[in-house]
Amino acid sequence: MKILGIDIGGTGMKAAIVDTKTGELLSERHRIPTPKPATPEAVAKAVKEIVKHFDWKKAVGCSFPTTIVDGKCIHTGNLSEKWLNVKVDKLFKKECKLPFYVSNDADLAGLAEVSLGAGKKEKGVVIVITIGTGIGSGLFFNGQLIPNLELGKMLHSDGKIIEHFTADSVRKKEGLTLKKWALRFDELLNYTKIVFSPSLIILGGGISKRFDGFKEFLNADVKIKVAEFKNNAGIIGAAMYAHKKDK
């Protein structure tokens, strides 16, 4: 099944046509900057631009960087505050005149990885952590998604949410070495191990490509793999989600 998958991030929006059976990208990946400010109206227009680029006329899957329940944004995440309570699927459908299936970005990246990638056939609790502008997370049990886990919203020791301490955007902003950042991220991994006892943690997001450069600084006693689909996981998972929903 061929489906257009769109992955909306804090800095960029990526899309491709996907074979939902294999996870293969059937087109070149297209990327445009996320509008600033990333208001609902501006992002909807950018989504329409992407759909036009592919001359796409069928259902679209979309991964979105915050908590989505039944297509509605219930937390603003790292986008504009104007997203709160917006029915994202209806907004994009109205703008593009196509069916849209929208869910949390880390959940959908995880769907790709657990179904076809690094977590395929893994039993028990699997957690996907995406490291970017914020910290995203997807929770799976025996391959089934338990939606809207938000590890990045856990409180750190200073009372602030932990993604403000250990996201990749914080590493860049504070000019942290890979080692200093990894020691921070290791705290999140240890919290996750204590609370969920996962059999596997899958790391995604841009910095996951540098895993070999920071894995020696991680001491959490948990099995870790890097996402096989790398930064394409959100696109692939979005397409798979739309294929599943568009029956």
Side-chain angles (χ1 to χ4, degrees):
M1 184 71 180
K2 299 177 182 179
I3 297 278
L4 177 62
I6 301 176
D7 182 12
I8 297 175
T11 57
M13 300 168 60
K14 308 180 291 288
I17 298 169
V18 179
D19 182 331
T20 57
K21 186 175 182 180
T22 65
E24 179 187 359
L25 300 194
L26 301 175
S27 69
E28 290 292 320
R29 193 176 79 162
H30 180 59
R31 185 188 188 279
I32 61 174
T34 302
K36 294 194 182 304
T39 62
E41 294 77 14
V43 172
K45 282 180 169 43
V47 166
K48 185 176 182 179
E49 182 183 326
I50 290 171
V51 170
K52 280 187 173 181
H53 171 84
F54 288 97
D55 193 26
W56 192 253
K57 308 294 185 185
K58 297 183 286 185
V60 182
C62 183
S63 68
F64 197 79
T66 191
T67 310
I68 299 287
V69 177
D70 296 327
K72 180 190 284 189
C73 177
I74 64 168
H75 190 280
T76 58
N78 293 299
L79 298 177
S80 165
E81 292 182 0
K82 294 181 180 180
W83 281 101
L84 189 62
N85 295 323
V86 170
K87 282 280 286 180
V88 185
D89 51 358
K90 285 190 175 180
L91 173 67
F92 293 167
K93 180 180 180 180
K94 182 179 179 182
E95 186 71 31
C96 301
K97 308 295 189 291
L98 295 173
F100 265 80
Y101 300 95
V102 182
S103 194
N104 173 264
D105 56 351
D107 281 353
L108 296 188
L111 181 65
E113 290 297 333
V114 168
S115 301
L116 301 171
K120 188 177 180 180
K121 297 183 179 179
E122 184 77 30
K123 297 298 184 183
V125 175
V126 175
I127 294 178
V128 178
I129 300 177
T130 58
I131 313 153
T133 305
I135 295 288
S137 51
L139 175 63
F140 295 81
F141 181 68
N142 289 340
Q144 295 298 308
L145 172 66
I146 301 170
N148 293 315
L149 173 70
E150 290 286 354
L151 288 180
K153 300 299 184 287
M154 293 193 302
L155 296 185
H156 186 49
S157 56
D158 61 359
K160 295 179 182 178
I161 62 174
I162 200 163
E163 72 177 2
H164 291 167
F165 177 72
T166 192
D168 193 35
S169 58
V170 176
R171 177 187 67 85
K172 295 173 182 176
K173 182 180 178 181
E174 297 185 14
L176 299 175
T177 64
L178 208 52
K179 178 180 180 179
K180 285 184 177 179
W181 171 81
L183 292 174
R184 289 187 179 192
F185 186 68
D186 195 48
E187 293 186 37
L188 175 59
L189 293 178
N190 275 296
Y191 288 153
T192 302
K193 171 66 177 2
I194 291 167
V195 175
F196 294 98
S197 300
S199 58
L200 173 65
I201 291 177
I202 300 171
L203 301 184
I207 199 170
S208 65
K209 291 182 287 188
R210 301 177 67 182
F211 182 66
D212 285 343
F214 66 80
K215 64 183 180 182
E216 65 180 298
F217 308 119
L218 303 179
N219 298 304
D221 183 22
V222 61
K223 183 167 69 172
I224 295 173
K225 289 184 179 180
V226 175
E228 287 186 14
F229 295 120
K230 305 287 193 301
N231 263 350
N232 291 334
I235 295 172
I236 296 164
M240 292 174 65
Y241 182 70
H243 181 208
K244 183 178 179 181
K245 290 287 186 180
D246 191 47
K247 300 295 186 182

